[in-house]
Amino acid sequence: MNQEILDNLIVYAPINSKVRIGQSLDAGYVIVNGYEYDYYISCGLGNNVSFEWDFCSSRPNLTGAAFEHSDYPTHQLPANLSFVKKNIGKNNSDVETNLEQEIEPYSDVFIKMDIEGWEWNWLKSFDKLDKVKQIVLEVHGFLDVGWTEIGQFDYKDILSGLQKFNKTHYLVHAHGNNSADVKTYNGEEYPTVLELTYIRKSDCQIYGPNKTPLPVRFLDFPNNSLQPDVDLSKYP
């Protein structure tokens, strides 16, 4: 973490209200309410699909795809989601996709992504952010050198990824994952893993920079209920 990264993590306050989708633990995310989508993409399913069920059940006519690198019990997914056994990355092959081919026919896509550090590699090759209306994703590696090898990215990848988002999208929500390490930078504690919500600037009106303390009561909940949530009420 350094000042450049913090400067690219400024949260803005959307005029539309926020709502939590999914369970009140890990696997739930905060999104901006009141938008329609023409396709849904889920990347990284893990062992909890409460977000997928909540999101899709309120949009029964919305189709989409769920990507996971290993076999998944597809009967656990909503009927309007197709399962695709592929990694998310920077290449396109039988076992990996950067999502550009999947997203090409659409213009108002919602993406949920939790791929354990590989999001930065994905962003390097993904040039269709203009088609993504809203995205929630877990991002890794802040202040955590160990992730450099595990996720195959470095500080420059994180900074360029955040800058890429900020060209077309507003960061409208941030939540620290308290299941990950919390480390110190300039005397302040910051999480090494963040849950971020971005919405396309052309769709979103904002009041300006966020003034509401983060985490937000009744919207945000600790990923690990046995530990206190991470306070983000500091710069930025």
Side-chain angles (χ1 to χ4, degrees):
M1 185 79 75
N2 66 18
Q3 195 62 43
E4 273 190 302
I5 285 182
L6 288 175
D7 287 341
N8 281 276
L9 282 170
I10 295 175
V11 179
Y12 293 90
I15 290 179
N16 282 22
S17 62
K18 297 179 185 179
V19 62
R20 185 177 186 86
I21 304 293
Q23 68 176 10
S24 299
L25 288 168
D26 201 17
Y29 292 89
V30 173
I31 74 169
V32 181
N33 215 3
Y35 295 96
E36 298 295 327
Y37 308 95
D38 57 8
Y39 200 64
Y40 170 67
I41 291 177
S42 177
C43 304
L45 296 171
N47 60 3
N48 187 293
V49 287
S50 62
F51 184 94
E52 284 73 16
W53 277 98
D54 282 1
F55 190 88
C56 292
S57 63
S58 61
R59 300 166 178 85
N61 296 321
L62 180 67
T63 59
F67 293 82
E68 176 68 37
H69 70 279
S70 56
D71 290 321
Y72 198 85
T74 54
H75 67 274
Q76 295 184 10
L77 293 173
N80 42 344
L81 286 187
S82 301
F83 175 70
V84 183
K85 186 180 176 180
K86 281 188 178 184
N87 283 310
I88 305 299
K90 61 183 179 180
N91 302 307
N92 289 294
S93 68
D94 291 340
V95 296
E96 183 177 341
T97 176
N98 71 352
L99 297 178
E100 288 202 347
Q101 295 176 3
E102 289 82 1
I103 210 171
E104 182 58 38
Y106 307 100
S107 57
D108 296 308
V109 179
F110 188 101
I111 296 178
K112 189 221 79 172
M113 181 173 289
D114 182 2
I115 54 175
E116 304 303 329
W118 297 100
E119 62 276 358
W120 304 117
N121 255 341
W122 166 71
L123 268 171
K124 288 180 186 179
S125 69
F126 185 73
D127 292 321
K128 302 288 185 182
L129 278 177
D130 60 310
K131 290 177 172 285
V132 179
K133 181 175 281 189
Q134 189 164 188
I135 179 172
V136 292
L137 74 165
E138 191 169 83
V139 292
H140 303 75
F142 300 102
L143 293 172
D144 194 346
V145 176
W147 274 100
T148 301
E149 295 180 1
I150 297 172
Q152 295 187 355
F153 59 83
D154 57 24
Y155 155 76
K156 291 180 180 179
D157 295 326
I158 294 175
L159 180 59
S160 64
L162 295 175
Q163 290 172 334
K164 191 171 186 177
F165 269 127
N166 289 338
K167 288 178 182 178
T168 54
H169 290 65
Y170 289 121
L171 176 61
V172 290
H173 197 76
H175 177 253
N177 186 330
N178 73 335
S179 293
D181 291 338
V182 174
K183 298 190 177 182
T184 301
Y185 169 72
N186 276 357
E188 296 280 5
E189 289 190 334
Y190 291 92
T192 55
V193 177
L194 287 168
E195 298 165 346
L196 304 179
T197 305
Y198 287 93
I199 191 161
R200 197 166 53 195
K201 290 180 177 180
S202 59
D203 300 289
C204 182
Q205 291 182 300
I206 59 170
Y207 291 112
N210 174 65
K211 303 295 184 183
T212 302
L214 299 171
V216 180
R217 192 179 182 188
F218 303 125
L219 272 184
D220 291 312
F221 298 89
N223 298 67
N224 180 351
S225 62
L226 300 179
Q227 298 181 140
D229 218 339
V230 182
D231 178 20
L232 293 183
S233 298
K234 56 179 77 73
Y235 185 92

